[in-house]
Amino acid sequence: MKRAVIALVIAGCNAGSATPAPAPQPPPAAKSDQTPTIVQVAGLDGPRLYVALCAPCHGADGKGYAADHAPSLVNPTFLESASDDFLRRSIASGRPGTSMAAYGKAHGGPLDSAGLDRLVSYLRGKGPAFRMLPAGGAGDPAAGAAIYAQRCASCHGDSTTRGEAVSLANPAFLAMATDVFLRHAIVHGRPGTKMEAFGATLSGTEIDGVVSYVRTLGAGAPAVQLLPEPTGKEPLVQNPRGGTPRFHLRADPCPALPGGSAATAGCKPDPRYVSVDQVAAALAARQRLVIVDARSPSDWRRVRIAGAVSIPYHDLKRLDELPGDGTWVVAYCACPHHLSGIVIDELRRRGYAHSAVLDEGINEWHRRGYPVIAAEGVAKPPAEPKPPGTIH
Ligand code: HEC
Ligand code: HEC
């Protein structure tokens, strides 16, 4: 099942380029007697934790790019320059504002300290040990800025724009990345990815300049105070007395046969995506629906769609409480759809035909100014590059 989810995700965020498919007829939503998908993270060893929580984005092998441009976690130049502290803090506090959620309990995530340690040693075992690497000199940030604009910004973005590669302006990233870590990545690149080894084309002085410029990128970002954690008692149904929305769902096109345009035999398009505009209109018209935030609870505490309940992809317990009366359930995550896809797969398995993935995700919802509940200091997400390609 995981594999199917991942395959869908590669299609990326589709901001309405395909024709909407007709809405499916609602068969009575049946309650399933099957055990819900709950991950008891507390008891899992490192490899299982990784599969349940991380593989949907970073891939089964850790090489990244299963979804959301999640980078490789096993690249040798990454592991030899990332200390255990860097790995631990990256997982615990995440990269707020990107799809990398905070997984540490102290930040609203599911993992206690022992769980974090198990994941760090699991990743550690997949590549070279951390080692002391050469430091650079003090660089000139102004010279670095010019090089950055020319050679780096198209992939990495800057403090106001988002690229498809790791956000170097992210304050949480800058708080844990040392100059030596930055320099090592720039000089040697990340072999096998789009990140080239700039040691071949930039001088040591130029690289020092770029490092010192990258350091300035996160400055001025406001600190974010998280909203209270979910109690599990938040009402599921919005506008309980409202009418039923008439959603038109989009399907992923069937993959074309190699060399031809005909769709793969036996593939039936699966209408499962509803656009942000339709859902915002339903909310504005006070129609009855459930909106599920499928991300880690730490993300729900940062910014969420107004009225959304937290039912994270790794703990679907609250799905048992959904009304079985045909009420629409819309699940979302950041772009694209892998985490919300896990929730919708589970709902469809249980017979909820009136269930859909929010097509463009919460970032586009937020960007368009639709209602959110946001912690203080959370700004609208920067524009995403279009079209979102995959990096390999
Ligand atoms: C929803 C997708 C998603 C999930 C699930 C996810 N990550 Fe990430 N992760 C990302 C993205 C995207 C980034 C890069 C952030 C950015 O774009 O700046 C990232 C970055 C990281 C980094 C920093 C890597 C670097 O090169 O700086 C680490 C370490 C990491 N993730 C580990 C994990 C672990 C361990 C888990 C499971 C507990 C996990 N991630 C779950 C998407 C995800
Ligand atoms: C063609 C796109 C592209 C360009 C141009 C590019 N990068 Fe990268 N960069 C990437 C990708 C993709 C990764 C992550 C690779 C991976 O999965 O390990 C990355 C990783 C990095 C990292 C490591 C981040 C981390 O947390 O692991 C740093 C630092 C970095 N790049 C800096 C730069 C700088 C500085 C420049 C310009 C001199 C630059 N990059 C140009 C695509 C690019």
Side-chain angles (χ1 to χ4, degrees):
M1 188 191 94
K2 278 259 145 67
R3 217 156 266 293
V5 169
I6 289 163
L8 280 169
V9 163
I10 296 171
C13 247
N14 197 321
S17 64
T19 4
Q25 286 307 303
K31 277 250 172 180
S32 154
D33 51 4
Q34 300 199 42
T35 342
T37 319
I38 303 171
V39 178
Q40 299 291 1
V41 290
L44 293 183
D45 60 13
R48 289 196 181 87
L49 274 179
Y50 181 84
V51 168
L53 299 177
C54 321
C57 295
H58 290 285
D61 55 4
K63 289 193 175 150
Y65 309 109
D68 274 3
H69 308 305
S72 170
L73 301 177
V74 298
N75 200 290
T77 64
F78 172 66
L79 283 177
E80 69 196 3
S81 60
S83 62
D84 284 6
D85 181 59
F86 178 97
L87 291 174
R88 206 172 193 283
R89 287 170 66 196
S90 296
I91 303 166
S93 51
R95 301 277 162 82
T98 76
S99 57
M100 179 60 198
Y103 286 89
K105 276 227 156 83
H107 300 269
L111 294 174
D112 61 10
S113 177
L116 291 169
D117 288 343
R118 288 201 293 274
L119 270 177
V120 169
S121 47
Y122 171 71
L123 293 176
R124 211 15 105 212
K126 295 190 143 283
F130 173 67
R131 59 191 177 93
M132 296 313 277
L133 295 161
D140 169 9
I147 299 168
Y148 189 90
Q150 226 187 348
R151 307 288 299 270
C152 321
S154 60
C155 290
H156 288 285
D158 53 27
S159 28
T160 53
T161 58
R162 181 82 174 92
E164 58 179 38
V166 186
S167 169
L168 304 179
N170 191 284
F173 168 72
L174 287 170
M176 59 192 89
T178 60
D179 286 359
V180 171
F181 174 90
L182 293 173
R183 188 169 214 285
H184 190 66
I186 300 167
V187 172
H188 298 283
R190 297 276 189 249
T193 76
K194 277 194 181 172
M195 178 64 195
E196 67 180 84
F198 285 94
T201 51
L202 294 175
S203 72
T205 315
E206 287 173 320
I207 289 174
D208 290 340
V210 173
V211 169
S212 56
Y213 172 68
V214 168
R215 270 282 152 245
T216 67
L217 281 175
V224 169
Q225 295 293 328
L226 290 184
L227 296 162
E229 60 185 317
T231 59
K233 301 266 184 306
E234 289 79 13
L236 290 168
V237 180
Q238 302 198 53
N239 311 316
R241 286 161 200 281
T244 305
R246 293 182 147 268
F247 289 143
H248 291 278
L249 306 191
R250 177 182 79 76
D252 277 326
C254 283
L257 289 169
S261 57
T264 313
C267 164
K268 267 208 255 136
D270 170 24
R272 57 192 264 125
Y273 305 108
V274 62
S275 64
V276 291
D277 292 340
Q278 292 183 66
V279 177
L283 276 185
R286 307 198 59 80
Q287 289 178 321
R288 176 181 164 93
L289 81 169
V290 177
I291 302 185
V292 171
D293 186 321
R295 303 169 302 163
S296 181
S298 52
D299 280 342
W300 184 86
R301 294 177 63 183
R302 204 175 161 274
V303 54
R304 61 181 177 263
I305 291 181
V309 284
S310 172
I311 307 185
Y313 69 105
H314 51 75
D315 181 356
L316 301 178
K317 208 165 37 236
R318 275 207 91 189
L319 292 186
D320 292 350
E321 297 169 35
L322 287 173
D325 59 0
T327 300
W328 272 97
V329 184
V330 175
Y332 70 84
C333 53
C335 172
H337 314 116
H338 50 294
L339 304 183
S340 45
I342 291 172
V343 172
I344 295 308
D345 283 345
E346 174 65 12
L347 285 174
R348 297 267 173 110
R349 197 176 66 75
R350 295 183 185 196
Y352 288 81
H354 271 181
S355 56
V357 162
L358 186 70
D359 203 357
E360 305 92 332
I362 185 177
N363 288 344
E364 188 58 25
W365 175 281
H366 195 182
R367 251 180 241 124
R368 291 194 194 178
Y370 293 140
V372 294
I373 296 174
E376 213 178 307
V378 171
K380 278 191 188 172
E384 305 252 354
K386 283 192 180 170
T390 36
I391 320 171
H392 283 288

